[in-house]
Amino acid sequence: MSYKMIVLDMDDTLLTDDHIISDATKKALMLAQENGVKVVLASGRPTYAMQDAAKELKLAEYGSFILSFNGAKITNCKTSEELFSSTLSPETVHALFDLSQRENVWIHTYIQDEIITQQNNPFTEIEAQITGLPIKTVADFKQTVSSPVVKVLMVKEEDHLKEVEATLQAELAEDLSVMRSKPFFLEFTELGVTKGTSLAILIEKLGITREEVIAIGDSYNDVAMIEFAGLGVAMGNAPDDVKELADFVTDTNNNDGVAKVINTFILDAITAKQV
């Protein structure tokens, strides 16, 4: 199979635990792009918080794309045009706030490149560190969210949030997409919006088939794209139940797992054709 696109989660996949792209991974991605392969970043992060990685990999120069907010936005890196956008209504966000109070978890969302929360907490602080976005603590969350937002996060310690996830997935199954991106992040987007559904929209626009796509991720919000792609890859640091759903399991994010996939399934095949 000749692959035309690599879709990458960022945190704990493309990026090491030090939040950098390793030299080996960057080299492999640049070589893939030089040979005509599209490199797409697909993350739960806001678009703004994906721009540095996109610039480092020269995605604009190679005409590639960003799937941000767990697929709720698709952005053309070259033109900054939004090819797809999904939002949650203020009424939906207000209902989620009420549920967060009921379930004893913290909640935050994003407005104009700021993280909005009614109560700052250690996990929203982690989100700020990951994304580089400032936290704005507001007196009244509902009053502040008066127009549509792209997604909402509920955050808490892993054991409690896992219980909340099960409860709300059952309760909101017909209303919203509910998935964890990290053990302590539970994410909410419009019903049916995942990295997988956005990837399907993107490849249709580009005339690429799912069989020509490699998708690599490490967490539960990556499962939809891992299952959708022709070659779905789980990182070595992924939970076992995510690995079980993948076609292939690579090395960890700290040991060039992404580079090893590219070398094995793309660059070695290109080299073989040239011999």
Side-chain angles (χ1 to χ4, degrees), residues 97-127:
F97 178 82
D98 291 340
L99 288 172
S100 75
Q101 300 293 101
R102 186 191 80 186
E103 298 295 332
N104 190 30
V105 296
W106 294 297
I107 188 170
H108 68 242
T109 189
Y110 311 88
I111 298 176
Q112 295 179 346
D113 293 334
E114 290 183 319
I115 302 169
I116 305 299
T117 185
Q118 189 166 298
Q119 185 177 358
N120 201 2
N121 62 85
F123 303 104
T124 297
E125 290 282 355
I126 291 171
E127 176 74 347

mmCIF file of all heavy atoms in Angstrom, residues 97-127:
data_model
loop_
_atom_site.group_PDB
_atom_site.id
_atom_site.type_symbol
_atom_site.label_atom_id
_atom_site.label_comp_id
_atom_site.label_asym_id
_atom_site.label_seq_id
_atom_site.Cartn_x
_atom_site.Cartn_y
_atom_site.Cartn_z
ATOM 1 N N PHE A 97 -22.390 22.668 32.501
ATOM 2 C CA PHE A 97 -21.944 23.262 33.759
ATOM 3 C C PHE A 97 -22.752 22.694 34.935
ATOM 4 O O PHE A 97 -22.186 22.327 35.972
ATOM 5 C CB PHE A 97 -22.078 24.787 33.721
ATOM 6 C CG PHE A 97 -21.687 25.453 35.011
ATOM 7 C CD1 PHE A 97 -20.354 25.713 35.295
ATOM 8 C CD2 PHE A 97 -22.642 25.794 35.964
ATOM 9 C CE1 PHE A 97 -19.983 26.308 36.494
ATOM 10 C CE2 PHE A 97 -22.280 26.388 37.163
ATOM 11 C CZ PHE A 97 -20.939 26.645 37.429
ATOM 12 N N ASP A 98 -24.072 22.605 34.760
ATOM 13 C CA ASP A 98 -24.912 22.047 35.818
ATOM 14 C C ASP A 98 -24.525 20.598 36.119
ATOM 15 O O ASP A 98 -24.493 20.186 37.288
ATOM 16 C CB ASP A 98 -26.384 22.121 35.417
ATOM 17 C CG ASP A 98 -26.903 23.553 35.373
ATOM 18 O OD1 ASP A 98 -26.270 24.439 35.993
ATOM 19 O OD2 ASP A 98 -27.927 23.789 34.691
ATOM 20 N N LEU A 99 -24.228 19.841 35.078
ATOM 21 C CA LEU A 99 -23.809 18.451 35.279
ATOM 22 C C LEU A 99 -22.461 18.382 35.997
ATOM 23 O O LEU A 99 -22.238 17.485 36.820
ATOM 24 C CB LEU A 99 -23.721 17.725 33.931
ATOM 25 C CG LEU A 99 -25.063 17.415 33.257
ATOM 26 C CD1 LEU A 99 -24.834 16.885 31.841
ATOM 27 C CD2 LEU A 99 -25.852 16.399 34.084
ATOM 28 N N SER A 100 -21.587 19.324 35.697
ATOM 29 C CA SER A 100 -20.284 19.327 36.376
ATOM 30 C C SER A 100 -20.453 19.577 37.870
ATOM 31 O O SER A 100 -19.738 18.994 38.698
ATOM 32 C CB SER A 100 -19.348 20.381 35.750
ATOM 33 O OG SER A 100 -19.698 21.703 36.142
ATOM 34 N N GLN A 101 -21.396 20.423 38.208
ATOM 35 C CA GLN A 101 -21.672 20.692 39.618
ATOM 36 C C GLN A 101 -22.250 19.449 40.294
ATOM 37 O O GLN A 101 -21.873 19.098 41.415
ATOM 38 C CB GLN A 101 -22.650 21.870 39.748
ATOM 39 C CG GLN A 101 -22.145 23.175 39.148
ATOM 40 C CD GLN A 101 -20.950 23.740 39.916
ATOM 41 O OE1 GLN A 101 -19.800 23.602 39.499
ATOM 42 N NE2 GLN A 101 -21.226 24.356 41.050
ATOM 43 N N ARG A 102 -23.144 18.798 39.575
ATOM 44 C CA ARG A 102 -23.754 17.575 40.111
ATOM 45 C C ARG A 102 -22.721 16.471 40.338
ATOM 46 O O ARG A 102 -22.779 15.738 41.336
ATOM 47 C CB ARG A 102 -24.839 17.084 39.144
ATOM 48 C CG ARG A 102 -25.646 15.906 39.644
ATOM 49 C CD ARG A 102 -26.496 15.312 38.537
ATOM 50 N NE ARG A 102 -25.711 14.437 37.663
ATOM 51 C CZ ARG A 102 -26.184 13.872 36.551
ATOM 52 N NH1 ARG A 102 -27.425 14.126 36.156
ATOM 53 N NH2 ARG A 102 -25.425 13.089 35.818
ATOM 54 N N GLU A 103 -21.767 16.363 39.396
ATOM 55 C CA GLU A 103 -20.789 15.271 39.440
ATOM 56 C C GLU A 103 -19.515 15.646 40.200
ATOM 57 O O GLU A 103 -18.575 14.854 40.262
ATOM 58 C CB GLU A 103 -20.425 14.847 38.006
ATOM 59 C CG GLU A 103 -21.589 14.305 37.198
ATOM 60 C CD GLU A 103 -22.150 13.012 37.765
ATOM 61 O OE1 GLU A 103 -21.371 12.258 38.405
ATOM 62 O OE2 GLU A 103 -23.359 12.762 37.595
ATOM 63 N N ASN A 104 -19.472 16.857 40.737
ATOM 64 C CA ASN A 104 -18.328 17.302 41.540
ATOM 65 C C ASN A 104 -17.022 17.273 40.751
ATOM 66 O O ASN A 104 -16.017 16.694 41.170
ATOM 67 C CB ASN A 104 -18.202 16.464 42.813
ATOM 68 C CG ASN A 104 -17.184 17.048 43.789
ATOM 69 O OD1 ASN A 104 -16.970 18.263 43.841
ATOM 70 N ND2 ASN A 104 -16.531 16.185 44.559
ATOM 71 N N VAL A 105 -17.068 17.884 39.568
ATOM 72 C CA VAL A 105 -15.858 18.043 38.764
ATOM 73 C C VAL A 105 -15.732 19.504 38.343
ATOM 74 O O VAL A 105 -16.710 20.252 38.372
ATOM 75 C CB VAL A 105 -15.878 17.143 37.495
ATOM 76 C CG1 VAL A 105 -15.877 15.677 37.897
ATOM 77 C CG2 VAL A 105 -17.091 17.458 36.606
ATOM 78 N N TRP A 106 -14.529 19.916 37.955
ATOM 79 C CA TRP A 106 -14.323 21.254 37.421
ATOM 80 C C TRP A 106 -14.614 21.268 35.929
ATOM 81 O O TRP A 106 -14.613 20.220 35.266
ATOM 82 C CB TRP A 106 -12.883 21.699 37.679
ATOM 83 C CG TRP A 106 -12.565 21.873 39.127
ATOM 84 C CD1 TRP A 106 -13.118 22.747 40.008
ATOM 85 C CD2 TRP A 106 -11.591 21.130 39.884
ATOM 86 N NE1 TRP A 106 -12.555 22.616 41.258
ATOM 87 C CE2 TRP A 106 -11.612 21.637 41.216
ATOM 88 C CE3 TRP A 106 -10.687 20.101 39.576
ATOM 89 C CZ2 TRP A 106 -10.782 21.135 42.222
ATOM 90 C CZ3 TRP A 106 -9.872 19.595 40.575
ATOM 91 C CH2 TRP A 106 -9.914 20.107 41.885
ATOM 92 N N ILE A 107 -14.858 22.459 35.398
ATOM 93 C CA ILE A 107 -15.206 22.588 33.981
ATOM 94 C C ILE A 107 -14.508 23.806 33.393
ATOM 95 O O ILE A 107 -14.331 24.822 34.081
ATOM 96 C CB ILE A 107 -16.755 22.698 33.823
ATOM 97 C CG1 ILE A 107 -17.169 22.641 32.343
ATOM 98 C CG2 ILE A 107 -17.293 23.958 34.501
ATOM 99 C CD1 ILE A 107 -18.687 22.496 32.156
ATOM 100 N N HIS A 108 -14.089 23.687 32.139
ATOM 101 C CA HIS A 108 -13.588 24.866 31.431
ATOM 102 C C HIS A 108 -13.876 24.778 29.940
ATOM 103 O O HIS A 108 -14.188 23.705 29.406
ATOM 104 C CB HIS A 108 -12.091 25.125 31.707
ATOM 105 C CG HIS A 108 -11.118 24.129 31.162
ATOM 106 N ND1 HIS A 108 -10.285 23.379 31.961
ATOM 107 C CD2 HIS A 108 -10.806 23.775 29.887
ATOM 108 C CE1 HIS A 108 -9.514 22.611 31.210
ATOM 109 N NE2 HIS A 108 -9.816 22.831 29.949
ATOM 110 N N THR A 109 -13.796 25.932 29.290
ATOM 111 C CA THR A 109 -13.977 26.018 27.850
ATOM 112 C C THR A 109 -13.038 27.085 27.314
ATOM 113 O O THR A 109 -12.130 27.546 28.021
ATOM 114 C CB THR A 109 -15.450 26.307 27.484
ATOM 115 O OG1 THR A 109 -15.613 26.160 26.063
ATOM 116 C CG2 THR A 109 -15.888 27.697 27.914
ATOM 117 N N TYR A 110 -13.233 27.492 26.063
ATOM 118 C CA TYR A 110 -12.312 28.445 25.420
ATOM 119 C C TYR A 110 -13.118 29.562 24.761
ATOM 120 O O TYR A 110 -14.079 29.308 24.034
ATOM 121 C CB TYR A 110 -11.477 27.760 24.328
ATOM 122 C CG TYR A 110 -10.827 26.475 24.776
ATOM 123 C CD1 TYR A 110 -11.514 25.269 24.662
ATOM 124 C CD2 TYR A 110 -9.545 26.455 25.314
ATOM 125 C CE1 TYR A 110 -10.938 24.082 25.078
ATOM 126 C CE2 TYR A 110 -8.961 25.272 25.727
ATOM 127 C CZ TYR A 110 -9.661 24.095 25.608
ATOM 128 O OH TYR A 110 -9.092 22.921 26.021
ATOM 129 N N ILE A 111 -12.695 30.789 25.018
ATOM 130 C CA ILE A 111 -13.271 31.948 24.336
ATOM 131 C C ILE A 111 -12.116 32.854 23.922
ATOM 132 O O ILE A 111 -11.320 33.280 24.765
ATOM 133 C CB ILE A 111 -14.243 32.730 25.255
ATOM 134 C CG1 ILE A 111 -15.434 31.847 25.666
ATOM 135 C CG2 ILE A 111 -14.741 33.989 24.546
ATOM 136 C CD1 ILE A 111 -16.384 32.519 26.652
ATOM 137 N N GLN A 112 -11.998 33.103 22.619
ATOM 138 C CA GLN A 112 -10.974 34.002 22.076
ATOM 139 C C GLN A 112 -9.578 33.705 22.650
ATOM 140 O O GLN A 112 -8.904 34.569 23.198
ATOM 141 C CB GLN A 112 -11.360 35.464 22.339
ATOM 142 C CG GLN A 112 -12.625 35.868 21.608
ATOM 143 C CD GLN A 112 -13.029 37.303 21.870
ATOM 144 O OE1 GLN A 112 -12.532 37.951 22.800
ATOM 145 N NE2 GLN A 112 -13.916 37.831 21.053
ATOM 146 N N ASP A 113 -9.168 32.466 22.474
ATOM 147 C CA ASP A 113 -7.820 32.037 22.877
ATOM 148 C C ASP A 113 -7.529 32.239 24.357
ATOM 149 O O ASP A 113 -6.389 32.487 24.768
ATOM 150 C CB ASP A 113 -6.739 32.737 22.017
ATOM 151 C CG ASP A 113 -6.797 32.294 20.562
ATOM 152 O OD1 ASP A 113 -7.265 31.173 20.303
ATOM 153 O OD2 ASP A 113 -6.375 33.071 19.692
ATOM 154 N N GLU A 114 -8.581 32.133 25.174
ATOM 155 C CA GLU A 114 -8.423 32.086 26.626
ATOM 156 C C GLU A 114 -9.172 30.868 27.160
ATOM 157 O O GLU A 114 -10.203 30.468 26.610
ATOM 158 C CB GLU A 114 -8.979 33.351 27.296
ATOM 159 C CG GLU A 114 -8.183 34.605 27.038
ATOM 160 C CD GLU A 114 -8.750 35.796 27.781
ATOM 161 O OE1 GLU A 114 -10.000 35.925 27.823
ATOM 162 O OE2 GLU A 114 -7.971 36.606 28.313
ATOM 163 N N ILE A 115 -8.637 30.284 28.223
ATOM 164 C CA ILE A 115 -9.328 29.193 28.909
ATOM 165 C C ILE A 115 -10.233 29.817 29.965
ATOM 166 O O ILE A 115 -9.775 30.574 30.817
ATOM 167 C CB ILE A 115 -8.325 28.239 29.574
ATOM 168 C CG1 ILE A 115 -7.361 27.656 28.528
ATOM 169 C CG2 ILE A 115 -9.059 27.110 30.293
ATOM 170 C CD1 ILE A 115 -6.187 26.908 29.132
ATOM 171 N N ILE A 116 -11.513 29.515 29.894
ATOM 172 C CA ILE A 116 -12.497 30.117 30.791
ATOM 173 C C ILE A 116 -12.934 29.088 31.827
ATOM 174 O O ILE A 116 -13.379 27.984 31.486
ATOM 175 C CB ILE A 116 -13.738 30.586 30.001
ATOM 176 C CG1 ILE A 116 -13.337 31.546 28.858
ATOM 177 C CG2 ILE A 116 -14.746 31.242 30.935
ATOM 178 C CD1 ILE A 116 -12.656 32.807 29.312
ATOM 179 N N THR A 117 -12.810 29.447 33.093
ATOM 180 C CA THR A 117 -13.259 28.582 34.174
ATOM 181 C C THR A 117 -13.816 29.421 35.308
ATOM 182 O O THR A 117 -13.436 30.587 35.473
ATOM 183 C CB THR A 117 -12.107 27.682 34.682
ATOM 184 O OG1 THR A 117 -12.625 26.769 35.664
ATOM 185 C CG2 THR A 117 -10.991 28.501 35.307
ATOM 186 N N GLN A 118 -14.718 28.834 36.067
ATOM 187 C CA GLN A 118 -15.255 29.549 37.229
ATOM 188 C C GLN A 118 -14.390 29.303 38.465
ATOM 189 O O GLN A 118 -14.407 30.098 39.396
ATOM 190 C CB GLN A 118 -16.702 29.098 37.498
ATOM 191 C CG GLN A 118 -17.413 29.947 38.557
ATOM 192 C CD GLN A 118 -18.906 29.710 38.572
ATOM 193 O OE1 GLN A 118 -19.585 29.967 37.584
ATOM 194 N NE2 GLN A 118 -19.426 29.208 39.693
ATOM 195 N N GLN A 119 -13.642 28.201 38.438
ATOM 196 C CA GLN A 119 -12.773 27.890 39.574
ATOM 197 C C GLN A 119 -11.467 27.304 39.063
ATOM 198 O O GLN A 119 -11.453 26.203 38.498
ATOM 199 C CB GLN A 119 -13.453 26.895 40.521
ATOM 200 C CG GLN A 119 -12.643 26.629 41.785
ATOM 201 C CD GLN A 119 -13.378 25.709 42.738
ATOM 202 O OE1 GLN A 119 -14.501 25.289 42.485
ATOM 203 N NE2 GLN A 119 -12.739 25.386 43.849
ATOM 204 N N ASN A 120 -10.381 28.030 39.232
ATOM 205 C CA ASN A 120 -9.098 27.500 38.785
ATOM 206 C C ASN A 120 -8.754 26.254 39.592
ATOM 207 O O ASN A 120 -9.160 26.107 40.749
ATOM 208 C CB ASN A 120 -8.001 28.554 38.925
ATOM 209 C CG ASN A 120 -6.818 28.257 38.029
ATOM 210 O OD1 ASN A 120 -6.827 27.286 37.262
ATOM 211 N ND2 ASN A 120 -5.795 29.069 38.103
ATOM 212 N N ASN A 121 -8.011 25.347 38.978
ATOM 213 C CA ASN A 121 -7.731 24.048 39.592
ATOM 214 C C ASN A 121 -6.481 23.460 38.952
ATOM 215 O O ASN A 121 -6.031 23.933 37.900
ATOM 216 C CB ASN A 121 -8.937 23.127 39.397
ATOM 217 C CG ASN A 121 -9.213 22.883 37.928
ATOM 218 O OD1 ASN A 121 -8.616 22.006 37.320
ATOM 219 N ND2 ASN A 121 -10.095 23.689 37.336
ATOM 220 N N PRO A 122 -5.888 22.433 39.543
ATOM 221 C CA PRO A 122 -4.624 21.897 39.018
ATOM 222 C C PRO A 122 -4.709 21.379 37.583
ATOM 223 O O PRO A 122 -3.730 21.459 36.839
ATOM 224 C CB PRO A 122 -4.316 20.745 39.986
ATOM 225 C CG PRO A 122 -5.053 21.065 41.235
ATOM 226 C CD PRO A 122 -6.284 21.781 40.807
ATOM 227 N N PHE A 123 -5.870 20.878 37.169
ATOM 228 C CA PHE A 123 -5.977 20.275 35.842
ATOM 229 C C PHE A 123 -6.182 21.324 34.755
ATOM 230 O O PHE A 123 -5.695 21.174 33.629
ATOM 231 C CB PHE A 123 -7.099 19.236 35.841
ATOM 232 C CG PHE A 123 -6.876 18.175 36.884
ATOM 233 C CD1 PHE A 123 -7.609 18.185 38.053
ATOM 234 C CD2 PHE A 123 -5.893 17.211 36.721
ATOM 235 C CE1 PHE A 123 -7.388 17.231 39.041
ATOM 236 C CE2 PHE A 123 -5.665 16.254 37.694
ATOM 237 C CZ PHE A 123 -6.408 16.266 38.855
ATOM 238 N N THR A 124 -6.883 22.395 35.081
ATOM 239 C CA THR A 124 -6.956 23.516 34.141
ATOM 240 C C THR A 124 -5.578 24.165 34.008
ATOM 241 O O THR A 124 -5.196 24.624 32.931
ATOM 242 C CB THR A 124 -8.021 24.528 34.599
ATOM 243 O OG1 THR A 124 -9.303 23.883 34.581
ATOM 244 C CG2 THR A 124 -8.080 25.733 33.676
ATOM 245 N N GLU A 125 -4.815 24.175 35.084
ATOM 246 C CA GLU A 125 -3.429 24.664 35.020
ATOM 247 C C GLU A 125 -2.597 23.806 34.060
ATOM 248 O O GLU A 125 -1.775 24.320 33.295
ATOM 249 C CB GLU A 125 -2.792 24.659 36.414
ATOM 250 C CG GLU A 125 -3.356 25.697 37.372
ATOM 251 C CD GLU A 125 -2.830 27.102 37.115
ATOM 252 O OE1 GLU A 125 -1.946 27.263 36.241
ATOM 253 O OE2 GLU A 125 -3.300 28.040 37.783
ATOM 254 N N ILE A 126 -2.806 22.495 34.092
ATOM 255 C CA ILE A 126 -2.103 21.603 33.159
ATOM 256 C C ILE A 126 -2.483 21.942 31.719
ATOM 257 O O ILE A 126 -1.631 21.999 30.831
ATOM 258 C CB ILE A 126 -2.424 20.123 33.479
ATOM 259 C CG1 ILE A 126 -1.782 19.719 34.802
ATOM 260 C CG2 ILE A 126 -1.925 19.208 32.351
ATOM 261 C CD1 ILE A 126 -2.218 18.349 35.293
ATOM 262 N N GLU A 127 -3.765 22.177 31.480
ATOM 263 C CA GLU A 127 -4.218 22.557 30.138
ATOM 264 C C GLU A 127 -3.540 23.851 29.684
ATOM 265 O O GLU A 127 -3.132 23.985 28.522
ATOM 266 C CB GLU A 127 -5.740 22.727 30.129
ATOM 267 C CG GLU A 127 -6.326 23.221 28.826
ATOM 268 C CD GLU A 127 -6.348 22.177 27.720
ATOM 269 O OE1 GLU A 127 -5.695 21.127 27.845
ATOM 270 O OE2 GLU A 127 -7.011 22.427 26.699
#
